[in-house]
Amino acid sequence: MTDHGERRTSLLATLTLLAMTACWGSTFFLIKDLLERVPTVDFLGVRFLVAGAAMLAVAPRAIARLSPQVRRHALVLGCLYGVAQILQTAGLAHTPASVSGFITGLYVVATPLFAAAILRTRITGATWAAVLLATAGLGVLTLDGLSIGYGEAITLVGALLYAAHIVGLGAWSTPADALGMSILQVLVIAVICMVAALVGGAPGVVLPDRGADWASLVYMALVAGAAAILAQTWAQAHLPPTRSAIIMSMEPVWAASFAVLLGGESVTARMVVGGLMVLAAMLVVEALPRRRIEAEVTHLAV
């Protein structure tokens, strides 16, 4: 591929990740409302089950076309993401949402550390500056105070698993395998969340009992679930992990924006300053030549 073609593909991958984070950000106020009536893990299990079923209906042979090695990679990635979802959810029960959002966002810091340790990539000073700027922006945007307890600890473990998922996806995903890998990941996440719902909650799985709740769930399953994971898997086949993590740190910025536009919240100085800091970090990493962001990642064989 020519340099022009690579730049165009890289830009498209960046825009795809941004669209994905916008989808995720749009779900925050929907989830907050839905979880008043449906237990969290039950919601997650049903959400990813619907997403996986829809993806299988559209592409029933996609998983079969994957090589055994790629299927193993997708299983590992689905387990990482699914367990991270459970830990983040469990942590939310013991820590304020703002603190949980900040700690989860620390995957921005963990991703380059994992990339350097596992993939032997060299992270430049400019990239570290962007990572720290994004992290500081997340703190300004979300934090009212921070204390370390059980909830914060398991949320941090979840953030580390998200970082490992980002690094693994960057190393293992290819455009040709993106659909099959996405479907298998979603199905693994659904199984993990369903098991957690059946083990940890009331007998059976609690389902929504009103049309509006089902509409929200289907949107989060198909758009913010199936389509978003497919978008991430494809985009990360074209972007290094650290760059992807910095772009994905825009999620809480989108969440704050939708909370203002659709959720009736007021704009605060912290929202503006924190959001601009995260946006600046993303622009810094996008403005640098790709070769300076981090070394090209060699796909791992496990």
Side-chain angles (χ1 to χ4, degrees):
M1 187 181 293
T2 65
D3 287 345
H4 177 71
E6 287 182 358
R7 285 196 297 270
R8 186 170 57 184
T9 301
S10 178
L11 176 60
L12 180 59
T14 296
L15 294 175
T16 299
L17 279 185
L18 274 177
M20 179 200 74
T21 60
C23 286
W24 284 349
S26 72
T27 65
F28 275 60
F29 70 96
L30 294 175
I31 292 174
K32 182 178 179 181
D33 177 62
L34 184 60
L35 294 185
E36 294 179 0
R37 295 173 293 278
V38 179
T40 302
V41 184
D42 299 55
F43 153 71
L44 290 173
V46 175
R47 173 187 177 182
F48 285 107
L49 190 62
V50 170
M55 296 174 84
L56 274 178
V58 171
R61 296 182 178 86
I63 295 177
R65 287 194 289 266
L66 299 176
S67 69
Q69 182 185 63
V70 174
R71 281 198 289 268
R72 287 196 298 271
H73 292 165
L75 286 170
V76 171
L77 293 171
C79 287
L80 288 172
Y81 196 97
V83 175
Q85 287 270 305
I86 299 300
L87 291 175
Q88 182 186 11
T89 299
L92 253 169
H94 302 278
T95 189
S98 60
V99 174
S100 174
F102 172 73
I103 295 175
T104 301
L106 291 180
Y107 66 73
V108 178
V109 178
T111 297
L113 293 174
F114 286 173
I118 299 172
L119 305 181
R120 300 291 189 266
T121 57
R122 187 177 67 85
I123 311 301
T124 66
T127 303
W128 275 117
V131 166
L132 296 176
L133 182 59
T135 304
L138 289 172
V140 172
L141 184 66
T142 61
L143 280 183
D144 287 316
L146 179 61
S147 60
I148 302 300
Y150 170 75
E152 289 79 10
I154 62 174
T155 303
L156 179 59
V157 175
L160 297 177
L161 292 179
Y162 282 131
H165 178 265
I166 292 170
V167 172
L169 201 56
W172 290 334
S173 63
T174 64
D177 293 331
L179 181 57
M181 286 189 75
S182 300
I183 296 173
L184 189 50
Q185 283 183 84
V186 169
L187 292 175
V188 171
I189 296 166
V191 169
I192 289 173
C193 293
M194 277 294 187
V195 169
L198 292 172
V199 170
V205 176
V206 177
L207 300 174
D209 60 2
R210 59 180 71 178
D213 287 351
W214 272 110
S216 294
L217 190 146
V218 169
Y219 166 74
M220 288 184 278
L222 300 184
V223 179
I229 289 181
L230 176 58
Q232 183 185 2
T233 302
W234 177 84
Q236 284 206 240
H238 300 283
L239 296 173
T242 300
R243 184 174 182 174
S244 299
I246 293 172
I247 297 167
M248 289 164 63
S249 68
M250 283 291 293
E251 179 185 354
V253 179
W254 286 114
S257 301
F258 281 111
V260 170
L261 293 174
L262 302 177
E265 293 191 18
S266 300
V267 178
T268 66
R270 289 182 55 178
M271 277 186 186
V272 175
V273 173
L276 288 175
M277 290 172 71
V278 175
L279 179 60
M282 190 195 74
L283 293 177
V284 165
V285 83
E286 284 300 305
L288 295 171
R290 181 172 179 175
R291 65 181 177 273
R292 289 183 56 196
I293 294 171
E294 59 182 287
E296 291 294 328
V297 175
T298 302
H299 281 60
L300 298 179
V302 174

